[in-house]
């Protein structure tokens, strides 16, 4: 049984509400109260119609009695029982049906749930797969990008290297060209210098020869004495011996770079006692030329002082090495 | 402290005083080596067609390395070692004496010569041989003695038995000339004509085996390069391309000739392979490239080119084919020829309007003008021992042959009876 508020209570509530509304002077509340009235009346009308059956149920039914026989009673009773059984069966059937329906519904729900679950699972798997695929694709894309980037970088690097190399080569070429030009100029200058130097040397030689000739002519005994005083005795005789040997040495052709050392032994008179090769050049003609130069000096100039002769000029060496 | 230093210095001085004296000799005499070539005694009195000792004396004198004592200054004329008075020769300032005997054998019809070379200073015999030859072979025999004497004293092989080739020009009529290709002994004697023509001949080159000559001739009406066998006289045309065919020069292995051709439009240097008849172009420049010659190792050529505006000498490796300029002094340097050791390069150099033979040292790049007294020197050719250069020069109105030593020290002219003499080429060693 639904417990509904009675009609009187509703009216009281309404009146109270109206009272509370009229207790205020605000017009806004007046509008609001009107709206509220409309709403409440609507509600009242609705509740009025629905309460009709309740009103019928609440009215107590009157019992109409009639006299029936025992058989009829029995029949009636069995009929009633049968009807009641029928009702019970119907109820049971209804209950079963309901139960079946509920079970089916439950099953359906479960199935639906399972399906949804499966679907969800499938979706999740698919999603996962998709995600993996996407990730793989992304990874691939990244890799390709990376590769492309690397390739690009490599190409840039190669290009840069190539450019640098080209630049370097150009620089080197330029350098080589410049160095070649400088080298050529230096060579030209050197040759010119050498020519000039050779010319100057030739002139100097000529001058020296003339000078020597003049000097030789003008050299008096007095000058010789002065020279003797200037030079030490050893140096003087060394110089004289060297000069005599040079005059006797006819250097064979192609002797540049050769060297031979002779040991000379002299007599106190300046005559050659012996000559011996102590370091050979390896070229017989060259060694022979040096030996002949040493032998070619008729008389070696030696100091009169015996002590100096013994110390320096009795035995000495001569190295022949054309410059 | 001062005392210690003084004592130390004294000790060093004493030590140096007692050490054996060493005299350094770095230069020698400028004069040639004195040698006395005593006339060979004619044993038996049989007439001798050639004065052998005179030929030897001339040979050695011409080399510039020897100074032969005139016979009139000799104090005696020894025939054998034991007749030599060393004191006399020493007094005459002679280092060596060459003496010998000559006898004609009726039986063999040959002259037998025995000679000895004596070192006056060491009083020893340094060379002695007995040789024989017929009357015609006496000159050759004399040159052989000269070669032996030269080699034993200087250590360098003599070139007196080698030959020279050259071209003479004779004006027959106003419009007719006669060109002759001669081959003669190195002293210019004993010459014979190998080929003659009324058309010009130029640029002779000896094969390295000494058997062939290559040269340029116009006798077929156009320039062509020929090879001729000296003994048989067989002549073969090698190239006759359109345009220039000139300046042939045998490679060191005689397998090819380097030459100038203009078949491709401009005068360029080519190598002509004598076995395959194929040419290999070396230069490629709009300037004129010509007068190429080989380096002794056959890896390079040197040539004249006016690519810089004036004729200058260039060098090129035959594989790399990159020319490198070698001469920078003067505005005319041409006709380069390597020395036999490859250390020097000889060429024609113009200085103050005169043409001279000059040398450049390939190591030091030092240049030396060898012929300063003649004025129109051309066509240098180096002797096989690398000591002498033969070239042509103007003497009076005629062109003659002259020889100068590679240091410029001595020079002589070769006699000629044939008008203009030009384009000399010195043979290699022939035996």
């Amino acid at each position: 049984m639904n417990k509904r508020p009675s009609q009187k209570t509703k009216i009281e509530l309404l009146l109270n509400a109206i009272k509370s509304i009229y207790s205020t002077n605000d017009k806004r509340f007046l509008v609001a109260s009107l709206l509220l009235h409309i709403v409440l009346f609507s509600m009242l009308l609705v509740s009025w119609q629905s309460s009709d059956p309740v009103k019928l149920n609440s009215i107590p039914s009157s019992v109409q009695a009639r006299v029936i026989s025992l058989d009829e009673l029995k029949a009636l009773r069995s009929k009633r029982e049968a009807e009641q059984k029928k009702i019970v069966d119907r109820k049971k059937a209804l209950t079963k049906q309901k139960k079946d329906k509920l079970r089916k519904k439950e099953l359906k729900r479960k199935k639906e749930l399972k399906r949804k679950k499966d679907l969800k699972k499938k979706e999740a798997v698919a999603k996962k797969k998709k995600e993996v695929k996407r990730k793989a694709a992304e990874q691939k894309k990244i890799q390709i990008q990376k590769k492309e980037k690397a390739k690009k970088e490599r190409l840039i690097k190669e290009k840069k290297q190539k450019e640098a190399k080209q630049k370097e080569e150009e620089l080197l070429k330029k350098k080589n060209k410049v160095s070649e030009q400088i080298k050529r100029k230096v060579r030209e200058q050197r040759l010119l210098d050498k020519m000039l130097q050779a010319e100057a040397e030739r002139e100097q030689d000529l001058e020296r020869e003339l000078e020597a000739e003049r000097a030789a002519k003008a050299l008096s005994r007095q000058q010789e004495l002065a020279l003797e005083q200037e030079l030490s005795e050893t140096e003087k005789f060394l110089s004289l011996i060297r000069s005599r040997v040079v005059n006797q040495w006819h250097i064979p052709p192609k002797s540049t770079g050769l060297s031979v050392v002779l040991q000379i032994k002299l007599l106190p008179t300046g005559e050659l006692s012996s000559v011996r090769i102590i370091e050979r050049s390896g070229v017989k003609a060259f060694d022979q030329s040096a030996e002949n130069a040493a032998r070619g000096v008729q008389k070696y100039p030696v100091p009169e002082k015996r002590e100096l002769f013994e110390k320096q000029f009795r035995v000495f060496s001569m190295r022949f090495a054309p410059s | 402290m001062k005392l210690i230093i003084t004592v130390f210095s004294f000790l060093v001085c004493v030590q140096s005083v007692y050490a054996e004296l060493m005299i350094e000799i770095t230069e020698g005499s400028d004069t040639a080596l004195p040698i006395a070539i005593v006339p060979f005694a004619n044993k038996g009195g049989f007439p001798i067609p050639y004065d052998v000792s005179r030929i030897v004396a001339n040979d050695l004198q011409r080399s510039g390395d020897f100074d032969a004592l005139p016979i009139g200054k000799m104090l005696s004329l020894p025939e054998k070692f034991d007749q030599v008075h060393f004191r006399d020769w020493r007094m005459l300032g002679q280092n060596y004496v060459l003496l010998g005997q000559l006898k004609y054998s009726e039986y063999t019809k040959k002259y037998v010569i025995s000679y000895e070379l004596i070192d006056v200073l060491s009083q020893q015999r340094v060379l002695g041989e007995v040789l024989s030859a017929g009357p015609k072979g006496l000159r050759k025999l004399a040159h052989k003695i000269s070669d032996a004497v030269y080699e034993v004293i200087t250590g360098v092989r003599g070139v007196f038995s080698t030959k020279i080739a050259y071209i003479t020009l004779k004006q027959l009529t106003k419009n007719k000339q006669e060109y002759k290709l001669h081959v003669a002994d190195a002293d210019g004697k004993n010459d014979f004509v190998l080929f003659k023509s009324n058309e010009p001949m130029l640029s002779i080159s000896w094969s390295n085996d000494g058997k062939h000559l290559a040269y340029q001739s116009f006798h077929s009406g156009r320039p062509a390069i020929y090879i001729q066998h000296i003994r048989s006289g067989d002549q073969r045309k090698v190239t006759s391309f359109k345009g220039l065919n000139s300046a042939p020069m045998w490679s060191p292995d005689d397998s090819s000739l380097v030459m100038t051709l203009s078949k491709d439009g401009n005068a360029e240097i080519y190598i002509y392979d004598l076995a395959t008849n194929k040419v290999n172009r070396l230069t490629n420049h709009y300037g004129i490239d010509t007068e190429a010659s080989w380096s002794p190792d056959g890896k390079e050529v040197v040539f004249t080119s006016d690519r810089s505006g004036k004729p200058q000498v260039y060098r090129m490796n035959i594989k790399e084919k990159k020319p490198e300029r070698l001469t920078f002094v003067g505005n005319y340097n041409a006709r380069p020829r390597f020395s036999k050791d490859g250390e020097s390069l000889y060429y024609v150099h113009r200085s103050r309007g005169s043409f001279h033979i000059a040398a450049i040292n390939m190591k030091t790049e030092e240049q030396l003008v060898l012929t300063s007294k003649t004025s129109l020197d051309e066509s240098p050719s180096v002797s096989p021992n690398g000591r002498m250069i033969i070239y042509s020069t103007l003497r009076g109105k005629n062109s003659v042959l002259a020889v100068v030593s590679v240091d410029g020290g001595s020079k002589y002219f070769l006699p000629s009876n044939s008008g203009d003499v030009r384009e000399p080429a010195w043979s290699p060693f022939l035996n």
Side-chain angles (χ1 to χ4, degrees), chain A residues 47-249:
Chain A
S47 66
W48 186 273
Q49 285 166 359
S50 64
S51 63
D52 281 350
V54 175
K55 198 179 172 182
L56 286 172
N57 287 343
S58 64
I59 299 165
S61 56
S62 56
V63 178
Q64 203 173 0
R66 176 176 78 92
V67 179
I68 57 170
S69 65
L70 195 59
D71 293 337
E72 270 180 340
L73 188 64
K74 276 183 182 175
L76 203 63
R77 271 184 187 166
S78 62
K79 194 182 175 184
R80 198 180 286 168
E81 277 173 3
E83 273 176 3
Q84 272 177 346
K85 198 183 175 187
K86 207 176 178 182
I87 289 164
V88 169
D89 286 347
R90 202 169 61 207
K91 267 185 185 174
K92 269 184 184 172
L94 273 170
T95 311
K96 198 184 175 186
Q97 205 175 357
K98 226 174 188 175
K99 267 185 185 172
D100 284 351
K101 207 175 178 183
L102 275 171
R103 202 179 68 238
K104 271 182 186 173
K105 205 178 175 182
E106 186 60 26
L107 270 171
K108 200 179 175 185
R109 194 186 59 79
K110 274 186 183 172
K111 213 175 176 182
E112 185 63 23
L113 204 68
K114 199 185 172 191
R115 193 186 60 80
K116 275 183 182 172
K117 220 175 177 179
D118 288 350
L119 196 68
K120 259 188 185 176
K121 216 174 181 180
K122 266 185 188 174
E123 275 175 356
V125 168
K127 202 178 172 184
K128 209 173 177 182
K129 269 187 184 173
K130 204 177 172 184
E131 188 64 23
V132 168
K133 210 174 173 184
R134 190 187 59 77
K135 273 187 183 171
E138 213 166 78
Q139 200 69 26
K140 205 174 175 184
K141 202 177 172 185
I142 288 166
Q143 273 181 352
I144 288 167
Q145 276 176 347
K146 266 187 188 172
K147 268 185 187 173
E148 274 176 2
K149 201 181 170 187
K151 196 180 173 184
K152 215 173 180 182
E153 278 173 358
R154 189 167 49 81
L155 283 172
I156 290 166
K157 203 177 168 185
E158 277 177 6
K159 200 181 173 187
K160 273 184 184 171
Q161 276 178 344
K162 206 178 171 185
E163 278 173 3
K165 203 179 170 185
Q166 213 168 0
K167 249 183 191 175
E168 206 175 309
E169 275 173 3
E170 274 171 15
L171 203 69
L172 197 69
K173 264 185 194 172
K174 230 177 194 177
K175 261 188 187 173
N176 281 347
K177 203 178 172 186
V178 170
S179 75
E180 193 59 39
Q181 278 175 346
I182 292 168
K183 214 173 156 186
R184 203 184 65 212
K185 275 186 184 168
V186 166
R187 200 157 54 184
E188 280 180 28
Q189 192 56 44
R190 207 162 59 205
L191 282 171
L192 201 64
D193 289 348
K194 274 179 184 168
M195 289 277 286
L196 290 170
Q197 199 187 337
E199 192 65 34
E201 275 172 5
R202 267 200 296 277
E203 278 175 13
Q204 278 176 359
D205 286 348
L206 199 66
E207 191 59 38
R208 264 202 297 275
E209 276 171 26
L210 287 169
E211 189 61 37
E213 223 170 86
R214 279 198 296 269
K217 279 178 188 169
L219 198 68
S220 62
R221 180 67 190 150
Q222 217 171 11
Q223 281 171 315
E224 277 179 18
L225 283 171
L227 191 68
E228 278 174 25
Q229 280 169 358
E230 280 174 22
L231 298 169
S232 73
E233 286 284 287
T234 306
E235 280 175 346
K236 186 186 81 177
F237 284 103
L238 267 178
S239 172
L240 287 169
I241 290 171
R242 189 183 291 122
S243 158
R244 299 254 174 115
V245 175
V246 163
N247 283 337
Q248 290 298 320
W249 191 26

Side-chain angles (χ1 to χ4, degrees), chain B residues 305-317:
Chain B
S305 175
D306 67 351
R307 58 185 63 204
S308 64
K310 299 283 179 188
Q312 294 292 348
V313 175
Y314 289 78
R315 168 166 66 181
M316 179 184 274
N317 183 297

